[in-house]
C-alpha cells in the first residue's frame, strides 16, 4: 500500500491535460463569463452560505474549476493537490480569469505542513476525493487542524453506498466494501471520466471506501461539531453507465426509481 500515492499521482498527472481540454470542465466558459460557476459549486450554492471575505482552502482541488468558483463567490481561496500537472492547469485558469488563488502542491495528509495550522474559515472538499485516501481518521484531524475556531468544513462527496456498487453489473449490485478496508481496491481503467479518445498509459489506481458513520465519527473525534447532513439521489457524473439519466443541471440519478439510491451527500461541521 505504500506506493499508492505514486500510482495515483501518475494517473492524475496524466488526466490533468485531458480534463483541462474537455468540454466537461469548461475552461473556455470560465474565461468568457466572469460569473460562470462549475456545476458542482452551483449545486452546492444553496447550502454554502455567505463566503465573501472568508479564507478558504479546497483540498484535493485537481485543476481548480471548483476552487475558482468558490473564489467567484467571494472567498479568498487556496488549493491543495498532489498533482503538479493538475496545479499547472489550475494556475493557468486562474491567470486567464484574473483570479488570485494560492495553489500549493502536497499530499492530503501533509496539508497542515504545507498550508499552516488554524488559518482557515472554510475547508472545502468536493466530489470524488475521499475515495483516494486509505484512512479517514487522519483526514479528519487534518481538517480540524486547518480550521480556526468557528471555521467550518463543507463536504459534498459520493455516497459510500454508491462507491460500494459494482457498476459493471446490469442492475445496481453491492460488490465492493462499504466500510473502510486495509487493502486498496485496484482498478485498471484505460479511460478517464471525460470524453476523450486518448487512452491512459498510467491506468491503474488504488482507492478505498469509508462508511458514512466512520466519516462522521472521525470528525467528531477530531473535535468538530456536525451541523448538517443531507443525502442526495444524484451525483455530477454518470456513475452507473446505462442506468442513469442527467438533468438540466448536470446531475445524474437512477433512471428507474431514483429514490432507491443515496448517490451523494453534503456534510457540514464546525470547529468550536
Amino acid at each position: 500500500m505504500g506506493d499508492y500515492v505514486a500510482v495515483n499521482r501518475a494517473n492524475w498527472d496524466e488526466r490533468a491535460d485531458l480534463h483541462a481540454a474537455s468540454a466537461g470542465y469548461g475552461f473556455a466558459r470560465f474565461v468568457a463569463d466572469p460569473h460562470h460557476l462549475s456545476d458542482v459549486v452551483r449545486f452546492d450554492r444553496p447550502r454554502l452560505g455567505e463566503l465573501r471575505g472568508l479564507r478558504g482552502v479546497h483540498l484535493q482541488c485537481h485543476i481548480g474549476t471548483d476552487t475558482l468558483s468558490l473564489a467567484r463567490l467571494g472567498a479568498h481561496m487556496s488549493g491543495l493537490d498532489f498533482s503538479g500537472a493538475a496545479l499547472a492547469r489550475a494556475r493557468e485558469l486562474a491567470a486567464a480569469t484574473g483570479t488570485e488563488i494560492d495553489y500549493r502542491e502536497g499530499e492530503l495528509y501533509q496539508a497542515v505542513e504545507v498550508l499552516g495550522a488554524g488559518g482557515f474559515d472554510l475547508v472545502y472538499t468536493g466530489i470524488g476525493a475521499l475515495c483516494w485516501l486509505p484512512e479517514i481518521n487522519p483526514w479528519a484531524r487534518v481538517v480540524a487542524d486547518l480550521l480556526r475556531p468557528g471555521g467550518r468544513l463543507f463536504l459534498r462527496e459520493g455516497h459510500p453506498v454508491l462507491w460500494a456498487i459494482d457498476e459493471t453489473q446490469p442492475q445496481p449490485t453491492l460488490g465492493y466494501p462499504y466500510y473502510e478496508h486495509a487493502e486498496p481496491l485496484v482498478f485498471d481503467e484505460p479511460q478517464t471520466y471525460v470524453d476523450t479518445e486518448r487512452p491512459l498509459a498510467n491506468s491503474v489506481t488504488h482507492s478505498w471506501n469509508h462508511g458514512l458513520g466512520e466519516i462522521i465519527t472521525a470528525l467528531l473525534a477530531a473535535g468538530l461539531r456536525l451541523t448538517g447532513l443531507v443525502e442526495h439521489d444524484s451525483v455530477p457524473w454518470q456513475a452507473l453507465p446505462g442506468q442513469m439519466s442527467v438533468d438540466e443541471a448536470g446531475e445524474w440519478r437512477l433512471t428507474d426509481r431514483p429514490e432507491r439510491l443515496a448517490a451523494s451527500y453534503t456534510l457540514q461541521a464546525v470547529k468550536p
Side-chain angles (χ1 to χ4, degrees):
M1 192 172 70
D3 65 349
Y4 78 92
V5 172
V7 170
N8 288 342
R9 182 186 287 121
N11 178 266
W12 284 99
D13 281 350
E14 190 173 354
R15 292 194 204 201
D17 286 346
L18 298 176
H19 291 181
S22 73
Y25 276 91
F27 272 30
R29 285 178 290 167
F30 281 100
V31 175
D33 180 0
H35 302 291
H36 177 70
L37 303 175
S38 67
D39 289 344
V40 170
V41 171
R42 194 178 303 114
F43 181 96
D44 293 337
R45 192 170 185 179
R47 287 163 289 275
L48 274 166
E50 181 58 67
L51 299 186
R52 281 178 293 185
L54 298 186
R55 186 179 180 214
V57 58
H58 180 188
L59 300 179
Q60 297 167 274
C61 65
H62 190 38
I63 59 174
T65 51
D66 296 340
T67 324
L68 173 58
S69 298
L70 295 169
R72 286 183 166 180
L73 294 178
H76 304 293
M77 290 302 299
S78 298
L80 178 82
D81 201 88
F82 73 164
S83 167
L87 291 175
R89 303 291 84 77
R91 292 184 180 111
E92 288 172 3
L93 179 61
T97 58
T99 310
E100 186 175 343
I101 298 174
D102 177 26
Y103 283 113
R104 305 286 188 92
E105 184 173 343
E107 200 271 327
L108 182 282
Y109 296 131
Q110 301 169 338
V112 179
E113 299 171 36
V114 174
L115 295 161
F120 293 96
D121 303 295
L122 173 71
V123 170
Y124 178 91
T125 295
I127 290 281
L130 299 188
C131 61
W132 305 108
L133 305 176
E135 296 178 286
I136 206 63
N137 283 298
W139 166 82
R141 292 193 293 270
V142 164
V143 169
D145 288 345
L146 289 171
L147 289 170
R148 58 169 54 108
R152 60 190 171 101
L153 165 70
F154 188 99
L155 167 68
R156 188 186 177 211
E157 182 53 282
H159 202 287
V161 169
L162 177 69
W163 297 130
I165 292 176
D166 182 353
E167 72 279 7
T168 65
Q169 299 303 309
Q171 291 295 324
T173 302
L174 293 173
Y176 303 119
Y178 174 88
Y179 298 106
E180 188 172 295
H181 41 99
E183 294 300 319
L185 297 171
V186 179
F187 295 100
D188 189 347
E189 297 173 326
Q191 295 294 331
T192 185
Y193 51 80
V194 300
D195 290 333
T196 176
E197 296 181 357
R198 197 177 95 193
L200 296 170
N202 297 287
S203 56
V204 175
T205 59
H206 292 183
S207 61
W208 292 262
N209 204 0
H210 313 282
L212 192 56
E214 293 172 329
I215 295 165
I216 293 171
T217 300
L219 291 168
L220 295 175
L224 300 186
R225 176 171 57 87
L226 187 70
T227 58
L229 177 62
V230 182
E231 295 173 293
H232 311 286
D233 67 359
S234 67
V235 73
W237 84 99
Q238 189 175 188
L240 304 174
Q243 302 179 50
M244 306 184 91
S245 299
V246 66
D247 65 18
E248 64 280 357
E251 290 282 312
W252 294 80
R253 50 182 54 82
L254 286 178
T255 303
D256 177 29
R257 295 170 291 156
E259 68 275 7
R260 291 181 295 158
L261 177 65
S264 64
Y265 65 95
T266 301
L267 183 154
Q268 298 195 61
V270 170
K271 182 175 181 177

